[in-house]
Amino acid sequence: MRGPRRALASPAGRITIAVCLVVATAVFLATVPLHRDFFDVGVYYGTVGEWVHHEGRIYDYLVPGTHYGFTYPPFAAVSMLPMALVSWPVAVGISITLSVVASVLLLHWLVGPLIQRVCSVRWFAFVVAACMFALLEPVRDTFSFGQVNLLLVALVFTDARLLATGRGRYAGIGIGLASAIKLTPALFILYLLITGRRRQAGIAAGTACGATLLAALIDPGATRIFWTDALWNTDRVGSLSYVSNQSLQGVLARLQPDHPSRALWLACVLAVLALWAYRARAAVRDGDDRAGFALTALAACLVSPVTWVHHLVWVIPALVVLTDSALRREQRERRALLAVCAVLYVILCSSVVWLWRWDSTGLGAFLGANAYVWITLGLLLVRPWPHSRPLPETTPLAAEAPLNPGDVSEGLAGGAGAAR
């Protein structure tokens, strides 16, 4: 331990360690994970191109050689119209750039306040946090698929930021736009409503409806097809029992692949929503709005019929809230909770669920193939209460041991803020 501590005590040592972390992360990302070849951005690009250049219909387009097509509401296609003006390499570049910008904003908003509070060497802590963020499988897959997940999280947490900084009268637009692009974030509108933010809930709902109506004016046929057919046709998005579907519906579909029980799923959804509403309201009563947002993200992942692995970027804030809560506790309890957070983080980096890609039957598969579901459900169930204890004083990083995974990961949600 003396070697790392000495290295962290000097500017040159910190620079060396930071460079090694960045290089190691880059090498891992380039060589180890499964690459998705920007499949989803290909769906967006092909759909918009067919729609604009060939007068095709949004929900008729399928990626050549597959049965996969556009699955989002029509406003998502409207927001992607600029892709029709650029080449495929430029479209991929835009996707990567937007995800990078969203990641930087999230790290700045969520990590920044915490780092300012607990660490004197802030740039180094940001580097460590960014590397840890990039290693998470949902983040890796979002980039490699060319998905919109990080953009949606950034839109929602823009509103969380506004609420946290006393500018709540402007909040709701980000949630509304995210809900019009993809339906899962719509649960945040209900969160605003049940926690007494009727004005913000109205803004969010109005924004979502306005964006949806705009898309209906641009393409009435697509709007009709989406709400009457495409939304309900789960075959368009893939098999519900596929191991990547880490939702409650995915668990039940893997248990009963031929005839999953709709009634059992609805019962599970209602139970999760009841638990979420109780915990979210309690969090806001305690002045912990960031926990309320994190809990809502967890519930949205669980109750959505389809939650692919790359959708689980929504789980990150909850993991961080748990870690932050751990850091506010006495030493023995803190160590135990930080160890749990480190284990959860490693699992979310591990791609472990893919071990059961071809066979998800049996007890081992029930536990392993649904590992991310259990993490999501566990974070919803066992978030420590209360966690209003003041944070212990932290000695400057340069004079102490290096940041451990818990110390850094707590920052990813630090700035969502506790505001009423």
Side-chain angles (χ1 to χ4, degrees), residues 248-337:
L248 293 173
Q249 179 76 288
V251 175
L252 296 176
R254 283 186 284 275
L255 287 174
Q256 299 174 307
D258 295 328
H259 302 287
S261 171
R262 182 61 61 88
L264 180 57
W265 175 67
L266 288 174
C268 292
V269 165
L270 291 175
V272 165
L273 289 177
L275 175 63
W276 158 74
Y278 170 76
R279 289 209 180 278
R281 287 169 60 87
V284 173
R285 282 198 303 269
D286 290 341
D288 196 357
D289 207 28
R290 61 176 181 163
F293 269 84
L295 291 164
T296 304
L298 293 171
C301 289
L302 289 167
V303 304
S304 174
V306 176
T307 298
W308 301 134
V309 167
H310 50 77
H311 295 163
L312 294 176
V313 291
W314 292 103
V315 173
I316 297 170
L319 180 61
V320 176
V321 168
L322 178 65
T323 311
D324 187 20
S325 178
L327 289 171
R328 296 172 185 268
R329 293 172 179 265
E330 299 298 336
Q331 186 172 7
R332 180 181 300 177
E333 191 176 1
R334 184 192 317 155
R335 288 179 177 176
L337 281 174

Side-chain angles (χ1 to χ4, degrees), residues 114-413:
L114 180 68
I115 288 179
Q116 290 178 5
R117 193 172 74 236
V118 303
C119 184
S120 63
V121 190
R122 296 169 186 171
W123 70 265
F124 180 80
F126 270 111
V127 170
V128 176
C131 289
M132 294 184 68
F133 184 79
L135 291 173
L136 286 161
E137 184 183 4
V139 175
R140 301 192 318 250
D141 274 4
T142 290
F143 274 91
S144 132
F145 272 115
Q147 259 282 343
V148 297
N149 305 311
L150 288 168
L151 294 174
L152 299 182
V153 177
L155 283 172
V156 168
F157 274 86
T158 297
D159 286 342
R161 179 75 171 177
L162 291 173
L163 289 168
T165 53
R167 292 172 289 177
R169 63 184 180 277
Y170 302 112
I173 295 175
I175 290 173
L177 289 174
S179 302
I181 292 171
K182 204 169 184 177
L183 296 180
T184 302
L187 189 61
F188 286 92
I189 301 177
L190 186 56
Y191 169 74
L192 293 174
L193 192 61
I194 68 171
T195 55
R197 282 71 166 266
R198 294 185 178 88
R199 183 178 187 276
Q200 290 81 4
I203 292 173
T207 301
C209 290
T212 301
L213 288 174
L214 174 63
L217 290 174
I218 294 173
D219 194 334
T223 299
R224 177 182 55 80
I225 291 172
F226 177 78
W227 293 105
T228 62
D229 179 46
L231 173 62
W232 315 102
N233 184 3
T234 57
D235 291 337
R236 292 180 58 86
V237 297
S239 172
L240 292 175
S241 63
Y242 187 44
V243 73
S244 182
N245 184 13
Q246 293 291 303
S247 69
L248 293 173
Q249 179 76 288
V251 175
L252 296 176
R254 283 186 284 275
L255 287 174
Q256 299 174 307
D258 295 328
H259 302 287
S261 171
R262 182 61 61 88
L264 180 57
W265 175 67
L266 288 174
C268 292
V269 165
L270 291 175
V272 165
L273 289 177
L275 175 63
W276 158 74
Y278 170 76
R279 289 209 180 278
R281 287 169 60 87
V284 173
R285 282 198 303 269
D286 290 341
D288 196 357
D289 207 28
R290 61 176 181 163
F293 269 84
L295 291 164
T296 304
L298 293 171
C301 289
L302 289 167
V303 304
S304 174
V306 176
T307 298
W308 301 134
V309 167
H310 50 77
H311 295 163
L312 294 176
V313 291
W314 292 103
V315 173
I316 297 170
L319 180 61
V320 176
V321 168
L322 178 65
T323 311
D324 187 20
S325 178
L327 289 171
R328 296 172 185 268
R329 293 172 179 265
E330 299 298 336
Q331 186 172 7
R332 180 181 300 177
E333 191 176 1
R334 184 192 317 155
R335 288 179 177 176
L337 281 174
L338 288 177
V340 170
C341 293
V343 170
L344 297 182
Y345 171 80
V346 170
I347 293 173
L348 285 169
C349 292
S350 68
S351 303
V352 65
V353 298
W354 297 102
L355 293 175
W356 291 273
R357 179 177 182 178
W358 306 116
D359 183 8
S360 56
T361 60
L363 177 61
F366 178 72
L367 298 175
N370 303 310
Y372 299 163
V373 182
W374 307 138
I375 289 175
T376 307
L377 186 59
L379 287 170
L380 184 66
L381 286 168
V382 301
R383 191 183 78 85
W385 296 92
H387 94 256
S388 57
R389 190 173 302 173
L391 189 70
E393 292 294 326
T394 302
T395 307
L397 176 64
E400 289 295 317
L403 287 172
N404 59 45
D407 293 328
V408 178
S409 65
E410 71 142 349
L412 296 179

Side-chain angles (χ1 to χ4, degrees), residues 83-94:
M83 298 179 79
L85 305 176
V86 300
S87 64
W88 166 246
V90 173
V92 171
I94 291 172

Side-chain angles (χ1 to χ4, degrees), residues 16-34:
T16 300
I17 292 175
V19 170
C20 290
L21 283 173
V22 172
V23 171
T25 301
V27 170
F28 176 82
L29 294 177
T31 59
V32 176
L34 295 173

